[in-house]
Amino acid sequence: MTPRCHPLRFLAYPQLMSRGTDVSSYFTSVIQLIASPNLEIKKLVYIYLLRYAESNPDLALMSINTIQKSLTDKNQIVRAMALRVMSGIRVPLISGLVIIGIQRCVTDLSFFVRKTAAIAIIKCYE
Amino acid sequence: MLANASLDPGMKQDLVPSLQVLLEDRVPAVISCALAAWEHVCPERTDLLHRPYRSICRLLVEMDEWGQLVAMRVLTFYVRRCFNKPTEPESPQDANANFYEDGAEDTSSLDPDLVILYKFAMQLLHSRSSAVVIALVRLFQDIAPPSYLPRIIPSLIRLSRIRSQSTLYPVLSTIAVVASQDPVSSSYYLLTVDPLLCPCQTVLRQTHRPNSYRPPQTRYPRLISDRGKSRSNPTRIKPLLQKRGSQNRGRSDTSRRQMCNEMHDRKSCR
């Protein structure tokens, strides 16, 4: 069962995750969905990333590019989510990117993104 | 995590300018998160709070409850660091005596910025959240002159009516702390505390000196039947300081006296 078959089947993964089942073997197929325009799927991929990025740092770094592109999306929710997942991924290599992202987002027009930037500062400092 | 720890000093220098921009925002949600970040990252940088101080005070009401908690904590910390201790005029008579004289000096040294904080913090008194009211009491105990406390205590007493275990304990502890510090003015309000709360009595008993005020003991069922009557009737509340112990009970209310005698016989809550 790969998520590519049907986007709705992908919704089973967070259910399995929340029950504690190990779904890390599906990492590559899940990450491929990160560029999906659908907001729900994006959110679920980010949840998956936040859970398994520490154990697979190399594969997580492959998705950083797409996340950085989402930081300049038109939708404020997409921008905020991207900043949130970037600051939540505990890979030391991207800390510089996160700081740049925070600096860009503190002057964002949307209050939601600015609020996420404030919380990202706390997460970044830890 | 360990690698992040080694980057922390350099990271702090990069994060603080962004934090400074966020602190001067005007949206309450952003400010409350920025204050939490300030508290976490650089609590020694009180200079960052000089400019947004008044806007934080003004936005205190508009923040969500958890933001208000953070903001009050941060403001207490800031005020303790950066303001002189507030003093009030020695007695009301002194203040009034100079009223008609020209060029009379204002004997109170209350900083206008502090007064702004008190004014906007008082608006939080009617908050739904008990955490906010308790934080308010703490704020006024820490940074306000003692004359402000009587205005806060009725809200604290209101919280004692909540029948939830999780809120009762901190509320009662706060009442006990307030009563121990200021027994004279708080005794007037403690009459309206539901007296059958045994933990309340125990806590108050522990903090009160033997010859100071003790709340009268009445039965809980009486309070249910009493619900329709006004609790804040000023004729019922009499200063009890000159009376002692059992003489306090039931002078103004025969039913209360009967109930008190029953309670006394049963020797409960001891």
Side-chain angles (χ1 to χ4, degrees):
Chain A
M1 174 168 69
T2 62
R4 224 176 234 293
C5 306
H6 196 295
L8 286 177
R9 283 205 205 156
F10 173 60
L11 295 170
Y13 285 94
Q15 280 182 357
L16 292 171
M17 259 169 56
S18 62
R19 258 179 250 147
T21 323
D22 184 26
V23 288
S24 51
S25 44
Y26 302 110
F27 200 89
T28 38
S29 31
V30 169
I31 292 304
Q32 281 165 17
L33 275 175
I34 203 166
S36 157
N38 189 344
L39 207 63
E40 281 87 19
I41 294 197
K42 238 189 184 49
K43 205 173 232 188
L44 294 172
V45 175
Y46 287 164
I47 291 172
Y48 188 93
L49 249 183
L50 286 173
R51 171 77 177 80
Y52 288 112
E54 258 186 287
S55 45
N56 297 356
D58 308 318
L59 294 174
L61 286 174
M62 289 191 327
S63 53
I64 287 299
N65 231 350
T66 331
I67 298 175
Q68 265 200 300
K69 239 172 67 181
S70 311
L71 270 180
T72 50
D73 195 278
K74 278 183 298 185
N75 191 346
Q76 57 170 351
I77 299 178
V78 174
R79 291 201 297 270
M81 270 174 17
L83 184 61
R84 200 167 139 198
V85 75
M86 261 178 68
S87 57
I89 291 179
R90 302 292 199 171
V91 178
L93 288 167
I94 61 161
S95 52
L97 289 172
V98 177
I99 293 178
I100 294 172
I102 290 174
Q103 285 168 351
R104 207 190 302 170
C105 287
V106 291
T107 47
D108 197 282
L109 290 172
S110 154
F111 83 96
F112 193 63
V113 180
R114 293 200 299 271
K115 179 181 160 180
T116 319
I119 296 173
I121 290 178
I122 302 177
K123 287 204 279 195
C124 207
Y125 187 69
E126 280 179 354
Chain B
M1 278 310 173
L2 288 172
N4 270 352
S6 64
L7 283 172
D8 274 351
M11 206 185 270
K12 206 166 162 177
Q13 288 169 14
D14 298 325
L15 289 174
V16 167
S18 316
L19 193 54
Q20 196 168 6
V21 173
L22 285 172
L23 279 170
E24 294 176 15
D25 207 288
R26 289 286 181 265
V27 178
V30 178
I31 283 207
S32 54
C33 295
L35 286 172
W38 178 88
E39 202 181 2
H40 194 88
V41 173
C42 50
E44 72 281 356
R45 295 289 303 268
T46 48
D47 56 307
L48 293 177
L49 292 178
H50 291 328
R51 274 179 66 183
Y53 172 78
R54 287 191 188 193
S55 70
I56 295 172
C57 292
R58 288 204 175 92
L59 291 174
L60 207 52
V61 194
E62 294 177 42
M63 295 183 197
D64 62 305
E65 283 136 1
W66 308 111
Q68 283 168 355
L69 289 177
V70 172
M72 282 199 276
R73 209 163 50 225
V74 168
L75 283 173
T76 315
F77 188 77
Y78 174 76
V79 165
R80 292 287 288 220
R81 273 238 173 127
C82 302
F83 281 82
N84 291 326
K85 187 174 175 182
T87 54
E88 295 231 281
E90 282 168 11
S91 65
Q93 285 82 20
D94 287 345
N96 289 332
N98 294 332
F99 189 75
Y100 292 108
E101 290 180 12
D102 295 335
E105 286 176 10
D106 187 12
T107 50
S108 82
S109 63
L110 275 182
D111 198 308
D113 282 335
L114 266 186
V115 176
I116 287 176
L117 174 59
Y118 300 154
K119 179 180 137 199
F120 286 104
M122 294 283 247
Q123 295 173 0
L124 297 182
L125 267 180
H126 306 289
S127 167
R128 278 181 317 172
S129 163
S130 36
V132 170
V133 178
I134 291 178
L136 209 56
V137 173
R138 190 201 278 179
L139 179 109
F140 276 90
Q141 273 194 315
D142 286 343
I143 61 174
S147 61
Y148 277 86
L149 217 46
R151 297 180 227 182
I152 313 284
I153 294 175
S155 293
L156 194 56
I157 305 298
R158 161 180 64 94
L159 289 184
S160 70
R161 306 219 184 281
I162 299 171
R163 292 290 165 204
S164 151
Q165 286 274 352
S166 52
T167 52
L168 261 186
Y169 181 74
V171 167
L172 293 176
S173 312
T174 321
I175 292 175
V177 169
V178 168
S180 64
Q181 287 183 359
D182 191 12
V184 177
S185 57
S186 57
S187 62
Y188 289 88
Y189 300 95
L190 284 173
L191 264 173
T192 61
V193 172
D194 184 346
L196 224 278
L197 293 173
C198 295
C200 176
Q201 289 185 349
T202 324
V203 163
L204 289 173
R205 211 172 284 133
Q206 283 167 7
T207 53
H208 274 68
R209 292 180 296 281
N211 58 349
S212 64
Y213 169 74
R214 283 181 63 194
Q217 296 176 0
T218 52
R219 280 189 60 170
Y220 183 63
R222 179 188 165 276
L223 291 171
I224 291 177
S225 61
D226 213 22
R227 218 166 252 180
K229 299 179 191 172
S230 162
R231 300 289 289 165
S232 57
N233 189 352
T235 57
R236 280 173 148 241
I237 299 172
K238 292 180 182 171
L240 296 173
L241 289 175
Q242 62 268 29
K243 300 179 188 174
R244 280 193 210 167
S246 56
Q247 296 173 13
N248 292 348
R249 300 195 200 119
R251 277 293 164 87
S252 55
D253 193 350
T254 50
S255 61
R256 195 193 276 185
R257 200 189 314 142
Q258 284 166 6
M259 295 297 180
C260 288
N261 290 336
E262 284 177 28
M263 282 294 301
H264 196 60
D265 293 336
R266 275 184 221 158
K267 294 181 188 168
S268 64
C269 302
R270 295 202 191 268

